[in-house]
Amino acid sequence: MIMTEAQTDTAPRMDRALLAKLTGGLGDSKTLQRLCADFGQLYVEFLPDVFHSETGLHMQVHYNGHESGLMTDLIADLGDNVSLADGQLRNWSPNFVLACGNSFVITLMENLLGALPETIQEPIERPLSQIELDLAVMVYDKIANVLRSGVNAAGGFEPLLEKAHNAEDRPKPEEDHVDEYAVTVKLGITLGTVTSEFYLVIPQKALLKTVVTMPKSKGQGGKSKKEWQEQIAEQVRRSQVTLEARIRLDSLTLSTVSRLVAGDVIPFRDKGDVMVDVSANGKNLYVCEFGRAGENYTVRVKDNVSSEDEILKHLMS
C-alpha cells in the first residue's frame, strides 16, 4: 500500500502594520504629527497655569515632538530616569501611560520645601524615593486632568491612574501580551534652572479618534501651595523610616585592629551609661542611652538633636 502525505495550504499571515491601518490602529505621519502638535499646544497653554494656581511656582512647557511605534518599545525608550503611571479614561482610552523625568519631581519637591531657586541645581539621575513617588502622584493627577479637559471623551468621567512607579520597577508584559501601535507626545518642562520632560504614551486607536480642544477656562480649583506642603508632610509622618544606631567604641591602634579575630571583644568608649547616636538618611536625630529589656537590646531617647520641623524637612528632601 502506498501512503500519500496530505498537504495543507495555510493562508499567509497579514502584515501587522497593514492590519493596524485597516482597523484604525495606525495613522499616517501627517495625521499623527497634527494630533500630537495639538496635544503639545494644549499643555503649553494650560499646564503652567494649573501648577501656578496651586503652587505659586512659575514653569514653562514646550512641545518637543513625537515618536511613533509599538507601545512597549516606546515605553522602554523613555529610559530609566523616569517614573510612570498607567491610566485609563472612559469613552476615550482604556490604556495610556504618563511618564515624567525624575529631575522635575525632585526639583518640585525642593521648591515646595522652600529652597531658594538660585540654590537648586540639576539633580543627579536616580530613582525617586517613596515620598517623591507620592508627590509624583499629584503631578500625574494634574497632567491627566489637563488631558481630560482637552479630549472629546463623552460623559465627563475622571481619569483613573494606577500608582506611580520607577521605570526599574515596571513589570514586564505578559508572554501573551498583544502589542499595539502608539505615539509618545514629548513635552519639555522648565522649573527654575532645571529642564526636564514629561510624556504621554497614547494608543493610536484612541488618538486617531481624538479632537483636541482648548478649555474655555484656564482656572481650576485645587490645592494651594500650603496644602501641597501639608500633604507631603503628612505623607512623611506616615512613611516607614529605617533608623540606625551608632555606639562609639574604645580607640585601638591599627596594629591591634589588624590582628582582631572572631571572639575578640572591643569595649565601649563610655564607661558609665553607654550613649548611642540614632540617625536616619545620614542625619543625626536623637542621642540615646543603650540598654536591655529582657532578651532585647534597646535604646532610650535622652535628647533631640533636631527639631520636629528639621527632621521632617530632612526626611522629605
Side-chain angles (χ1 to χ4, degrees):
M1 184 171 68
I2 300 175
M3 300 292 293
T4 60
E5 182 179 352
Q7 294 182 350
T8 304
D9 294 329
T10 57
R13 196 169 185 176
M14 184 176 289
D15 178 74
R16 173 189 279 183
L18 177 59
L19 179 61
K21 285 184 178 180
L22 293 175
T23 57
L26 179 61
D28 62 87
S29 59
K30 186 175 181 179
T31 300
L32 296 179
Q33 184 176 5
R34 174 180 59 80
L35 287 169
C36 291
D38 288 345
F39 271 102
Q41 186 65 24
L42 172 69
Y43 280 93
V44 168
E45 294 277 342
F46 201 43
L47 191 62
D49 288 336
V50 171
F51 272 106
H52 182 259
S53 67
E54 299 192 6
T55 68
L57 300 173
H58 294 278
M59 57 189 67
Q60 297 82 42
V61 174
H62 45 278
Y63 176 54
N64 286 346
H66 76 280
E67 297 288 342
S68 174
L70 292 172
M71 195 164 188
T72 302
D73 295 338
L74 292 175
I75 293 171
D77 289 344
L78 298 179
D80 296 328
N81 196 38
V82 297
S83 63
L84 306 102
D86 294 278
Q88 56 179 294
L89 178 57
R90 188 172 175 180
N91 294 334
W92 183 68
S93 177
N95 60 313
F96 62 88
V97 177
L98 303 178
C100 185
N102 292 344
S103 58
F104 173 73
V105 178
I106 295 169
T107 302
L108 179 61
M109 174 77 83
E110 292 189 47
N111 275 275
L112 291 174
L113 292 176
L116 297 175
E118 59 270 20
T119 66
I120 299 176
Q121 299 179 347
E122 184 75 31
I124 62 172
E125 292 191 2
R126 62 169 176 82
L128 297 182
S129 67
Q130 185 55 58
I131 296 170
E132 290 164 342
L133 283 172
D134 292 330
L135 176 60
V137 170
M138 293 188 279
V139 172
Y140 287 129
D141 180 63
K142 304 311 159 194
I143 295 174
N145 279 324
V146 171
L147 173 69
R148 176 188 61 82
S149 67
V151 302
N152 57 320
F157 296 99
E158 295 293 324
L160 299 177
L161 297 178
E162 300 288 340
K163 191 175 181 180
H165 56 275
N166 285 303
E168 63 184 22
D169 297 323
R170 186 170 183 80
K172 296 185 181 299
E174 300 290 339
E175 290 186 5
D176 58 351
H177 171 72
V178 178
D179 216 344
E180 60 185 325
Y181 286 95
V183 295
T184 300
V185 182
K186 302 187 294 185
L187 296 129
I189 187 164
T190 300
L191 178 57
T193 60
V194 178
T195 296
S196 187
E197 278 194 320
F198 67 95
Y199 312 90
L200 288 73
V201 186
I202 306 170
Q204 291 192 30
K205 182 168 287 188
L207 180 74
L208 294 171
K209 298 177 182 178
T210 303
V211 177
V212 181
T213 58
M214 297 298 146
K216 294 180 181 179
S217 173
K218 295 183 179 179
Q220 282 192 356
K223 297 181 179 68
S224 65
K225 180 177 181 179
K226 182 179 179 181
E227 288 173 316
W228 278 54
Q229 291 172 318
E230 289 175 351
Q231 185 169 340
I232 297 169
E234 180 59 29
Q235 177 60 42
V236 172
R237 290 184 175 94
R238 296 197 305 266
S239 298
Q240 297 292 323
V241 178
T242 300
L243 299 178
E244 297 179 351
R246 298 191 308 278
I247 300 177
R248 293 183 178 87
L249 302 177
D250 203 3
S251 59
L252 301 175
T253 64
L254 285 176
S255 176
T256 301
V257 171
S258 66
R259 295 195 302 271
L260 290 173
V261 296
D264 287 346
V265 175
I266 305 174
F268 295 135
R269 187 192 66 176
D270 299 322
K271 303 306 180 185
D273 293 335
V274 178
M275 305 310 295
V276 180
D277 291 327
V278 173
S279 63
N281 294 352
K283 182 177 180 63
N284 287 338
L285 306 181
Y286 305 104
V287 174
C288 300
E289 183 180 274
F290 180 72
R292 188 166 182 170
E295 296 181 355
N296 299 318
Y297 292 101
T298 63
V299 293
R300 178 185 291 113
V301 176
K302 300 288 288 186
D303 191 20
N304 289 27
V305 176
S306 305
S307 68
E308 180 183 0
D309 286 343
E310 290 173 334
I311 291 172
L312 288 175
K313 187 172 182 179
H314 167 72
L315 295 178
M316 287 188 291
S317 62

